[in-house]
Amino acid sequence: MNIEYTTITVRDLVAGYEDKGDDGVFGYSGQLDIRPPYQREFVYKDKQREAVIDTVTKGFPLNVMYWAVREDGTFEVIDGQQRTISVSQYVDGEFSFKDRFFHNLPQDKREEILDYELTVYQCTGTDSEKLDWFETINIAGEELTAQELRNAVYSGPWVSAAKKIFSKTNGAAYGLGSAYLKGELNRQDYLETAIKWINGGDKVNAYMAKHQHDQNADELWNYFQDVIKWTKDTFPKYRSEMKGLPWGEYYNDFGAQTWDAASLETSIAVLMQDDEIKKKSGIYHYVLDGDERHLNLRTFDSAMRRTAYERQQGICPMCGEYFEIAEMHADHKLPWSKNGKTTFDNCQMLCRDDNLAKSAK
């Protein structure tokens, strides 16, 4: 890769600045593609954006930016998108700094900002080399997420189409599933989640490699709609504990079965009131497969264990042998599944082998 050093003034950078939404962001009189398809969304918070303007107004240097030179002589940003958009938005009047918009500044202060010089390395190379640079360069302290890196590696029409659906606050996925998913749209959390769901686990790279050159992301979007519809139909009463659960995994494992939503809700309502259950969100998985491990049930505290041990004089009631307390496990005489509570009266100390044998039954 060939790299040439140059300087660009803010005046030249922001000339013709235009944010076309899903169609991209452009500057430098239309010659600079600020957000190529493989680039992340704008993720700077207000303080980060203002820090960029503070640096410029004080005349301090910003970090070096990297542009890739395209075959037609135009450019695309490899590193520096967040800083470039911050500066462009300020000059364009989209936000104020220290309670003053750019157009409120005295003429001499505006000129100082417009004459500020940015250091730019212009890089000429193959697409693979550009992507390699994008992956390895530290972008102004904002570390790329795993999914942002995947979007770069598998850049193409599929990524562009998928981002329109899964990476926008006004996008279809957010409107449909925001009550059920956690994460930041512009950091690609929704997109990563949907791919993991449809691909049955963490094999996100394999799915993206397979679909990289697809002209649309309809398969993923249709699947996502099916997941959310099944979730709403199966659990029509919404609770905050439902947000962030792996609904795609539940759909994959249990979606083909017939469920009585009313009966499930009756069970859930009872379980939500059970103070033995420490992990309320686990109730949804539990009513689907009956595995108590999802519930993180209450355990006996050290005082209860010591009292039960002394009461038994160290004797395991199942095998009749003596053990030190460290060699024994606290056990519910009457299990939780039969309404047993985590109380002193329901506590017994079993040796390790007998406790494991009982748990296996």
Side-chain angles (χ1 to χ4, degrees):
M1 176 177 282
N2 182 49
I3 302 175
E4 294 184 4
Y5 163 89
T6 188
T7 57
I8 303 291
T9 65
V10 167
R11 186 190 311 276
D12 291 334
L13 178 70
V14 303
Y17 171 74
E18 189 174 10
D19 186 342
K20 296 184 178 180
D22 292 340
D23 294 325
V25 182
F26 302 90
Y28 200 51
S29 299
Q31 298 182 66
L32 177 64
D33 186 348
I34 300 174
R35 193 174 64 216
Y38 56 82
Q39 274 275 20
R40 66 167 74 194
E41 300 296 311
F42 184 68
V43 299
Y44 266 11
K45 304 296 190 295
D46 288 346
K47 287 185 178 180
Q48 293 169 298
R49 189 168 63 170
E50 291 171 1
V52 172
I53 305 307
D54 188 44
T55 300
V56 171
T57 56
K58 290 178 178 177
F60 296 161
L62 281 174
N63 290 342
V64 174
M65 300 182 185
Y66 293 87
W67 296 0
V69 182
R70 291 171 166 169
E71 291 183 1
D72 62 1
T74 61
F75 308 92
E76 62 186 49
V77 173
I78 297 178
D79 174 38
Q81 180 206 154
Q82 310 297 310
R83 286 162 284 160
T84 298
I85 292 180
S86 295
V87 171
S88 300
Q89 286 181 342
Y90 178 64
V91 174
D92 203 43
E94 292 191 29
F95 69 96
S96 63
F97 173 65
K98 294 184 177 178
D99 297 323
R100 302 185 76 175
F101 287 90
F102 179 75
H103 63 264
N104 296 136
L105 299 175
Q107 182 64 33
D108 62 317
K109 294 299 182 183
R110 281 183 278 165
E111 291 297 323
E112 287 180 9
I113 292 174
L114 293 174
D115 290 337
Y116 178 90
E117 291 188 342
L118 303 157
T119 302
V120 177
Y121 285 143
Q122 297 179 351
C123 315
T124 304
T126 65
D127 287 344
S128 296
E129 289 174 322
K130 287 187 293 186
L131 290 175
D132 183 58
W133 273 75
F134 178 75
E135 183 174 348
T136 56
I137 292 172
N138 177 33
I139 300 188
E142 283 288 340
E143 184 179 353
L144 293 170
T145 67
Q147 188 58 40
E148 286 173 326
L149 290 175
R150 295 187 194 104
N151 288 352
V153 173
Y154 300 108
S155 173
W158 185 90
V159 165
S160 297
K163 286 174 66 177
K164 289 182 180 180
I165 299 170
F166 291 96
S167 307
K168 309 289 184 181
T169 53
N170 60 347
Y174 181 81
L176 182 65
S178 59
Y180 301 93
L181 278 77
K182 289 183 178 180
E184 297 181 63
L185 283 166
N186 60 4
R187 299 308 300 268
Q188 311 305 317
D189 291 333
Y190 276 38
L191 178 56
E192 181 179 50
T193 296
I195 298 172
K196 285 182 177 180
W197 286 354
I198 197 174
N199 217 38
D202 294 329
K203 301 175 183 177
V204 179
N205 287 16
Y207 185 87
M208 294 186 71
K210 179 180 178 181
H211 295 279
Q212 180 177 7
H213 301 294
D214 290 0
Q215 296 304 305
N216 59 64
D218 290 352
E219 178 186 80
L220 184 62
W221 170 232
N222 290 335
Y223 167 83
F224 185 81
Q225 292 179 89
D226 289 342
V227 170
I228 301 302
K229 182 180 185 303
W230 176 82
T231 301
K232 291 181 176 180
D233 290 346
T234 308
F235 305 102
K237 180 177 175 58
Y238 181 79
R239 294 178 175 85
S240 60
E241 288 84 0
M242 298 172 72
K243 190 176 181 69
L245 293 178
W247 293 109
E249 296 177 20
Y250 301 165
Y251 173 77
N252 296 342
D253 293 339
F254 310 107
Q257 300 179 39
T258 300
W259 298 96
D260 184 333
S263 295
L264 287 175
E265 171 54 29
T266 299
S267 299
I268 292 169
V270 172
L271 292 166
M272 283 289 176
Q273 300 174 60
D274 191 335
D275 60 6
E276 293 290 309
I277 298 174
K278 296 170 64 178
K279 185 180 179 182
K280 300 298 186 183
S281 61
I283 290 172
Y284 291 93
H285 202 168
Y286 170 74
V287 297
L288 294 172
D289 69 2
D291 190 337
E292 295 177 7
R293 289 175 295 181
H294 304 312
L295 303 175
N296 192 13
L297 296 172
R298 284 181 60 199
T299 56
F300 296 103
D301 61 31
S302 58
M304 288 182 180
R305 293 196 299 271
R306 169 55 71 178
T307 302
Y309 178 80
E310 296 297 337
R311 179 180 61 194
Q312 297 171 203
Q313 298 182 348
I315 304 299
C316 172
M318 293 188 71
C319 67
E321 298 292 331
Y322 173 85
F323 296 90
E324 296 293 333
I325 190 171
E327 301 173 307
M328 304 186 82
H329 295 175
D331 173 67
H332 290 77
K333 296 178 184 178
L334 183 67
W336 171 82
S337 60
K338 296 181 179 179
N339 296 319
K341 301 298 182 181
T342 308
T343 61
F344 168 73
D345 291 338
N346 196 37
C347 180
Q348 65 179 348
M349 299 296 288
L350 302 181
C351 69
R352 177 183 178 278
D353 289 344
D354 283 336
N355 184 59
L356 292 176
K358 181 182 177 183
S359 299
K361 292 180 180 179

